[in-house]
């Protein structure tokens, strides 16, 4: 009486392997499109206060603080970029879960000056709309809603090659590191930094188009409705 549903290409392959012989339907995660809230100007002001100047590039990470999300890798790469004089900052939205206090506290000594932990916020959309790139350095993932929201906002992703990220973050959408190592993720960040603005704008539009076609809530609803009525 239960119909299993997988939420991404990578998850679907894993599910078919794990539950051999079970009929599994794939319906990709969907999300509502990102829109500015009444707090948009407040978020813009908060980010501008953190920027060195008007030319500072803003990276955003939306994730709980946990081992899975691998923030240590992100912090190590940002420290290197700070030492090399890159005019960028990373804003991290999210808090640690109960039991992860030690992990969070161990991260703090590693935090360079260009990384800012802002904790939980109610208006994530406003921060996305004020960012230049979406960063995710996880060691495993399903299909994170935060990535879909970033695509809908036209924010270019720079991610590690895990879970459903592999199937979404192609060279036409964003930047995927070769693996989850420090050198590979740093190379992906530098590739984004070195990309001309015109090409970045095309990646932004490609991401919006992909979101609308495959990952909007409207698309998700249609597929689930078809499944329920089949």
């Amino acid at each position: 009486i239960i119909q299993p549903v997988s939420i991404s290409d990578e998850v679907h392959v894993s599910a078919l392997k794990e539950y051999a012989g079970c009929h599994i339907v794939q319906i990709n995660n969907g999300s509502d499109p990102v829109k500015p809230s009444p707090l948009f100007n407040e978020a813009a002001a908060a980010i501008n206060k953190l920027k060195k100047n008007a030319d500072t590039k803003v990276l955003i990470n939306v994730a709980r603080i946990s081992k899975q999300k691998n923030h240590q890798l992100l912090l190590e790469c940002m420290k290197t970029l700070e030492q090399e004089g890159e005019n960028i900052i990373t804003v991290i939205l999210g808090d640690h879960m109960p039991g992860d206090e030690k992990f969070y506290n161990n991260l703090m000594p590693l935090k360079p000056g260009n990384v800012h932990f802002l904790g939980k916020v109610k208006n994530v959309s406003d921060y996305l709309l004020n960012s230049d790139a979406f960063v995710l350095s996880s060691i495993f993932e399903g299909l994170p809603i935060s990535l879909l929201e970033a695509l809908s906002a036209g924010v270019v992703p720079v991610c590690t090659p895990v879970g459903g990220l592999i199937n979404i973050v192609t060279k036409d959408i964003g930047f995927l590191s070769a693996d989850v190592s420090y050198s590979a993720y740093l190379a992906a960040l530098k590739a984004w930094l070195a990309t001309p603005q015109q090409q970045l704008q095309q990646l932004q539009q490609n991401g919006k188009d992909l979101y609308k076609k495959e990952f909007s809530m409207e698309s998700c609803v249609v597929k689930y409705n078809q499944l329920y009525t089949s």
Side-chain angles (χ1 to χ4, degrees):
I1 63 172
I2 296 174
Q3 171 61 63
V5 176
S6 58
I7 60 172
S8 74
D9 294 342
E10 192 73 10
V11 171
H12 191 63
V13 171
S14 299
L16 291 174
K17 182 178 179 180
E18 181 70 20
Y19 305 104
C22 180
H23 177 62
I24 301 173
V25 175
Q26 178 179 345
I27 299 178
N28 291 330
N29 266 348
S31 74
D32 289 323
V34 164
K35 298 177 181 178
S37 82
L39 299 175
F40 178 85
N41 290 336
E42 182 179 312
I47 288 182
N48 285 332
K49 189 174 181 179
L50 299 174
K51 295 169 66 172
K52 298 176 183 178
N53 52 51
D55 296 325
T56 302
K57 297 293 185 182
V58 179
L59 310 179
I60 186 168
N61 172 266
V62 183
R64 68 184 182 277
I65 313 302
S66 67
K67 185 177 180 180
Q68 173 202 347
K69 301 300 182 178
N70 200 17
H71 286 92
Q72 181 173 340
L73 172 60
L74 178 58
L75 266 56
E76 289 173 349
C77 291
M78 288 299 296
K79 182 177 181 179
T80 297
L81 294 173
E82 180 182 51
Q83 292 171 343
E84 294 179 354
E86 294 291 352
N87 188 12
I88 60 173
I89 62 170
T90 291
V91 173
I92 298 176
L93 304 182
D95 203 352
H96 59 78
M97 300 291 286
D100 284 332
E101 292 87 354
K102 184 177 180 180
F103 179 81
Y104 175 78
N105 291 334
N106 288 339
L107 279 179
M108 291 304 99
L110 304 176
K111 188 184 82 66
N114 58 358
V115 174
H116 307 278
F117 286 84
L118 301 188
K120 288 184 179 180
V121 300
K122 296 180 179 180
N123 56 325
V124 172
S125 61
D126 297 328
Y127 287 86
L128 281 170
L129 291 169
N130 280 284
S131 300
D132 299 294
F134 172 83
V135 290
L136 204 59
S137 51
S138 305
I139 55 175
F140 66 89
E141 283 289 352
L143 184 57
I145 297 297
S146 57
L147 171 62
L148 306 185
E149 291 176 339
L151 293 179
S152 77
V155 183
V156 176
V158 184
C159 304
T160 46
V162 296
L165 305 180
I166 297 173
N167 309 113
I168 297 177
V169 187
T170 65
K171 63 181 180 180
D172 296 323
I173 300 297
F175 300 84
L176 202 67
S177 60
D179 51 50
V180 295
S181 68
Y182 159 81
S183 58
Y185 196 62
L186 180 62
L189 289 170
K190 287 187 174 183
W192 169 73
L193 282 167
T195 302
Q197 186 60 34
Q198 186 175 358
Q199 292 182 29
L200 289 176
Q201 290 174 348
Q202 186 59 58
L203 293 178
Q204 293 171 346
Q205 187 58 52
N206 291 347
K208 287 182 177 181
D209 292 343
L210 177 66
Y211 165 81
K212 186 175 181 179
K213 180 181 178 182
E214 298 290 344
F215 302 108
S216 67
M217 188 56 71
E218 287 80 3
S219 175
C220 186
V221 166
V222 168
K223 292 173 183 177
Y224 271 108
N225 190 52
Q226 290 173 343
L227 176 60
Y228 279 122
T229 56
S230 66

